[in-house]
Amino acid sequence: MTVTYTSRVATARFGGFSQLLLLWRGSIYKLLYRELLLFLVAYLGLSLAYRFLLSEAQKRLFEKLVLYCDKSANLIPVSFVLVPPVHPSPAGFYVALVLERWWGQFRSVPAPDGLMVAVAGNVHGADARGRILRRTLMRYGSLAALLVLRAVSTAVYKRFPTTDHLVEAGFLTREERRRLEGLRSPYNKFWVPCAWFGALAGQARREGRVRDDCALKLLMEELNRFRGHCSLLFHYDWISVPLVYTQVVTIAVYTFFVTCLIGRQFLDPAQGYAGHELDLGVPVFTLLQFFFYVGWLKVAEQLINPFGEDDDDFETNTLIDRNFQVSMLAVDELYGEVPALERDRYWDAASPRAPYTAAAAPLRQPPFRGSAFDVALAKEEMQFQPLEDIGETLGDTLEPRPRPPPGTFTRFSLLRRKNSTVSEGGGGPEPPPGAPPAPAAPGDGDSLGGDMTVLLGDTMGGGSSPHDRWLLRPSIDDVV
């Protein structure tokens, strides 16, 4: 069902996307032509009635109605409601929301690849018992995915409408069907094969087919990841885009174009109405507007549930066939099958390089080393300059600072006397003006020994802690 055109646009060329406009299957023309024809027929019917069936008085009244509808149509925010605006808005992201939901549903389709690799690598035994364990484990995984897809996809449900069809197709045994139908639960039972998988994996561990607990843990992690995809897909089908959101978008679009049926009519140029100087008969740009806006709405209508039978819906039956076949091949025929080891053709090559065909040779490109390697420098610009010359060139900003005397701090003066900046109780009176400065006490100033004495305190006992008399403060050199 999926329309694939990737190979048509593999290389950008003149009119590349234009060639896609000629495709019919999965195209917007196939999706929209009925609505467009209905709109055009209704428009031409009103136009012919205005021109040939109405009297002069009725024409004047119809012309007033046309002018009123044309003015009022601008009040319906079709582009704001339907098309995503530049700035985020709850009302403008309907199509973007549906597209994001569509991609999320595709990513939630359960694929057994990780599970089958874990089973093939951790459930051992080349005998019949080991083989039936691996095949049954993968059949349970395929059955869980099939029960979910059967619940959300009409194409899969038509293929497997009852559990009898699952038994006949080989996904379910009669004993398993009896147990599945005997389980009293009104909810979807896609989780039951996952429970069977876990129980069987535990049994294989007890039998020694799964050789350690780490391997069993890996199996259960892959099972939970697989089951999580099944659950997410089921909930996508259960929780839809809110109905009011879809309704308001649909009402806005169709109300706008019902208004345009009347408001975009061409009037008699002889009446002198503004904007009606030309009578074309067919509203070309209104039809283009209908094509774009209703086309956006139809795109959202097709993408909102990709598990139907539209041209671009997911090929769920093909996915079932592929996943079931690949998983059985991986755990059965490919189990333990490793090709014979032999030296590759580049065994003695220090720098192996794969060959090119004649068609691919023109596409070969030199290795990318970084954009800075494209910078071109003159030879004289690549010479190192003495640091003294650089300092003279840039001025005094790079001159080295004088080395401080040994045993002093230059970046921070860690400790200052508190009474040198503020006067508190117990700090002593300030010296009178003109008196000589008092001798420095231990730790006063920037000497390392004094400061260490103050920081460590009287470690030998006795005396009060000096921390009450000192303040941590940066020196003036470090103030920004």
Side-chain angles (χ1 to χ4, degrees), residues 119-413:
V119 170
N122 295 282
V123 182
H124 300 281
D127 56 348
R129 177 62 177 173
R131 182 185 179 192
I132 195 173
L133 281 174
R134 290 189 299 272
R135 290 182 66 91
T136 303
L137 287 172
M138 289 313 304
R139 184 169 58 82
Y140 286 160
S142 299
L143 177 61
L146 180 55
L147 290 177
V148 171
L149 291 173
R150 180 173 169 264
V152 304
S153 173
T154 57
V156 177
Y157 187 82
K158 289 180 178 180
R159 183 179 178 183
F160 305 104
T162 65
T163 54
D164 292 333
H165 292 81
L166 297 179
V167 173
E168 186 177 353
F171 288 93
L172 200 64
T173 65
R174 297 188 183 277
E175 173 64 18
E176 292 166 351
R177 183 189 64 177
R178 185 185 65 81
R179 290 177 177 270
L180 188 66
E181 294 178 346
L183 189 64
R184 296 182 179 179
S185 176
Y187 305 105
N188 191 295
K189 300 176 183 178
F190 70 88
W191 52 271
V192 175
C194 296
W196 292 345
F197 184 104
L200 188 58
Q203 182 178 345
R205 174 70 183 101
R206 290 189 295 272
E207 296 177 4
R209 303 285 180 171
V210 179
R211 294 176 180 172
D212 52 47
D213 292 336
C214 292
L216 180 61
K217 180 176 179 292
L218 177 61
L219 286 173
M220 299 309 296
E221 287 177 348
E222 290 296 335
L223 172 65
N224 284 330
R225 187 177 295 110
F226 185 81
R227 184 211 54 81
H229 281 279
C230 294
S231 179
L232 182 60
L233 183 60
F234 181 76
H235 284 84
Y236 264 120
D237 184 65
W238 179 24
I239 306 299
S240 304
V241 176
L243 179 61
V244 292
Y245 207 172
T246 304
Q247 286 177 337
V248 71
V249 170
T250 305
I251 291 174
V253 172
Y254 285 112
T255 302
F256 175 78
F257 285 105
V258 168
T259 307
C260 288
L261 277 178
I262 301 176
R264 300 294 175 85
Q265 292 287 336
F266 288 100
L267 302 181
D268 187 2
Q271 301 299 321
Y273 295 112
H276 291 272
E277 294 82 7
L278 185 64
D279 185 3
L280 295 178
V282 177
V284 178
F285 289 98
T286 300
L287 293 178
L288 289 176
Q289 196 174 23
F290 182 92
F291 185 85
F292 297 141
Y293 285 166
V294 180
W296 271 106
L297 186 63
K298 299 297 287 185
V299 166
E301 179 183 337
Q302 181 169 359
L303 296 183
I304 199 168
N305 183 10
F307 294 100
E309 300 175 42
D310 295 325
D311 289 340
D312 252 331
D313 285 343
F314 300 153
E315 299 181 14
T316 48
N317 282 317
T318 303
L319 288 174
I320 291 172
D321 295 337
R322 179 264 175 195
N323 292 340
F324 185 65
Q325 183 186 87
V326 168
S327 60
M328 288 302 180
L329 286 174
V331 301
D332 192 2
E333 292 191 21
L334 294 181
Y335 174 74
E337 292 291 334
V338 179
L341 298 180
E342 60 181 42
R343 294 184 179 185
D344 58 82
R345 62 176 301 176
Y346 306 105
W347 180 264
D348 296 322
S351 179
R353 298 172 62 184
Y356 283 80
T357 63
L363 304 178
R364 182 183 176 187
Q365 297 292 333
F368 179 75
R369 297 184 298 167
S371 58
F373 281 85
D374 296 332
V375 177
L377 296 176
K379 185 176 181 180
E380 58 273 10
E381 293 177 348
M382 292 188 289
Q383 302 296 326
F384 283 119
Q385 300 295 317
L387 297 179
E388 294 79 5
D389 296 345
I390 297 177
E392 294 175 0
T393 304
L394 299 179
D396 297 335
T397 58
L398 297 180
E399 291 183 0
R401 299 179 63 181
R403 181 180 294 275
T408 60
F409 296 107
T410 58
R411 295 296 298 166
F412 286 93
S413 179

Side-chain angles (χ1 to χ4, degrees), residues 412-424 443-446 451 454-455 466-475:
F412 286 93
S413 179
L414 294 178
L415 301 173
R416 298 295 187 195
R417 279 189 179 276
K418 191 179 293 185
N419 60 11
S420 67
T421 56
V422 295
S423 176
E424 297 182 359
D444 192 338
D446 292 332
D451 288 336
V454 173
L455 286 172
H467 296 166
D468 297 334
R469 299 183 292 109
W470 297 90
L471 178 66
L472 179 66
R473 187 181 64 183
S475 64

